[in-house]
Amino acid sequence: MKFICFGSGSSGNCYFLDADGYGILIDAGISIRTIKKYFRDYGLPMSHVKALLVTHDHADHVKAAGVASHEFNVPVYATALVHEGIRLNYCITRKVDQQHAAVFEKGTTMTFGPMTVSSFGIPHDSRDNNGYFVECGGRTFCLMTDVGHVTDEMAAFIHRADYLVIEANYDPTLLEQGPYPPFLKQRIRSGNGHLSNPQAADELARNLRPDASHVWLCHLSNENNHPSLAYKTVEKRLREAGFPVGDTLQLETLKRQSPSPLYDLV
């Protein structure tokens, strides 16, 4: 498999996995023009995109879902509740055509070319929210974002992952001292909001497999976090737990508005 993050954060989220020319997008919260530009920049044929998987119905994850499914002529896979949320989301000008709407309920598994994908629930204040666990060629990749808290089911998927994308949205002190109104701060801190740097660090230290290869921290807040702060918080906790960060385990933060390198998941 190959992996690229095209954007991660409230400005727009979009991830790409490709296995032997069979590609899936996870979320389409950035413009279709930007997606196409990144494909050209990486020398990737857009014909590789065979499906779009959606985590949840918030605009920063789905505002280009309808356009992308139309442009690529591919199905959009999501739970029935997420599809309903997309239809009702006023931020989405081009809705997903009925012919492209495909149901992928959490707790089920589907095959996409050489990839086997399992969907699981993630607590968040959206109509529904799903993470994806991908198996291909003996390697496993997992993505979980917009995480209110980590459930036992999620912890089990963290432990199974060779490669993991997990949210580290905010630093508690920056959030508390920041400009957000009290109701928004409480929403973010709640069990259906977002995962803080220390929470992500603790969950990784408890559940990450000793021989895991790579962890990417995603969906960092622009106002309430900083990449170096998220990295240092998680790195310190993992080192305390005995994980070889920088040796056999790589740790990185994903950027909000620029693409990552192309990673070979070997």
Short mmCIF file of all heavy atoms in Angstrom, two decimals, residues 35 72 77 82 134 161 250:
data_model
loop_
_atom_site.label_atom_id
_atom_site.label_comp_id
_atom_site.label_asym_id
_atom_site.label_seq_id
_atom_site.Cartn_x
_atom_site.Cartn_y
_atom_site.Cartn_z
N ILE A 35 -7.68 18.44 -5.00
CA ILE A 35 -7.43 17.00 -5.09
C ILE A 35 -6.79 16.66 -6.42
O ILE A 35 -5.79 15.93 -6.49
CB ILE A 35 -8.74 16.21 -4.90
CG1 ILE A 35 -9.26 16.38 -3.47
CG2 ILE A 35 -8.52 14.73 -5.20
CD1 ILE A 35 -10.64 15.78 -3.23
N PHE A 72 -15.00 11.58 -10.45
CA PHE A 72 -14.29 10.30 -10.56
C PHE A 72 -15.21 9.16 -10.97
O PHE A 72 -14.73 8.06 -11.26
CB PHE A 72 -13.60 9.95 -9.24
CG PHE A 72 -12.49 10.88 -8.84
CD1 PHE A 72 -12.49 11.51 -7.60
CD2 PHE A 72 -11.44 11.13 -9.70
CE1 PHE A 72 -11.46 12.36 -7.23
CE2 PHE A 72 -10.40 11.96 -9.33
CZ PHE A 72 -10.41 12.59 -8.10
N TYR A 77 -19.02 5.52 -0.02
CA TYR A 77 -19.39 4.54 0.99
C TYR A 77 -19.47 5.22 2.36
O TYR A 77 -18.51 5.87 2.80
CB TYR A 77 -18.38 3.40 1.04
CG TYR A 77 -18.42 2.51 -0.17
CD1 TYR A 77 -17.67 2.80 -1.31
CD2 TYR A 77 -19.21 1.36 -0.18
CE1 TYR A 77 -17.71 1.98 -2.43
CE2 TYR A 77 -19.25 0.53 -1.29
CZ TYR A 77 -18.50 0.85 -2.41
OH TYR A 77 -18.55 0.04 -3.51
N VAL A 82 -24.79 8.77 7.92
CA VAL A 82 -23.86 9.74 7.33
C VAL A 82 -24.40 10.23 5.99
O VAL A 82 -24.35 11.43 5.68
CB VAL A 82 -22.45 9.13 7.19
CG1 VAL A 82 -21.56 10.06 6.37
CG2 VAL A 82 -21.84 8.89 8.56
N VAL A 134 -7.75 -1.16 7.50
CA VAL A 134 -7.46 -1.70 6.18
C VAL A 134 -6.39 -2.78 6.30
O VAL A 134 -5.34 -2.58 6.91
CB VAL A 134 -6.96 -0.59 5.23
CG1 VAL A 134 -6.73 -1.15 3.83
CG2 VAL A 134 -7.96 0.57 5.20
N ALA A 161 -2.90 -2.38 14.49
CA ALA A 161 -2.42 -1.58 13.36
C ALA A 161 -0.90 -1.54 13.27
O ALA A 161 -0.21 -1.27 14.26
CB ALA A 161 -2.95 -0.16 13.47
N GLN A 250 8.07 5.21 13.85
CA GLN A 250 8.10 6.59 13.38
C GLN A 250 6.86 7.32 13.86
O GLN A 250 5.75 6.77 13.84
CB GLN A 250 8.18 6.63 11.86
CG GLN A 250 9.40 5.92 11.28
CD GLN A 250 10.70 6.46 11.85
OE1 GLN A 250 10.93 7.67 11.85
NE2 GLN A 250 11.55 5.58 12.34
#
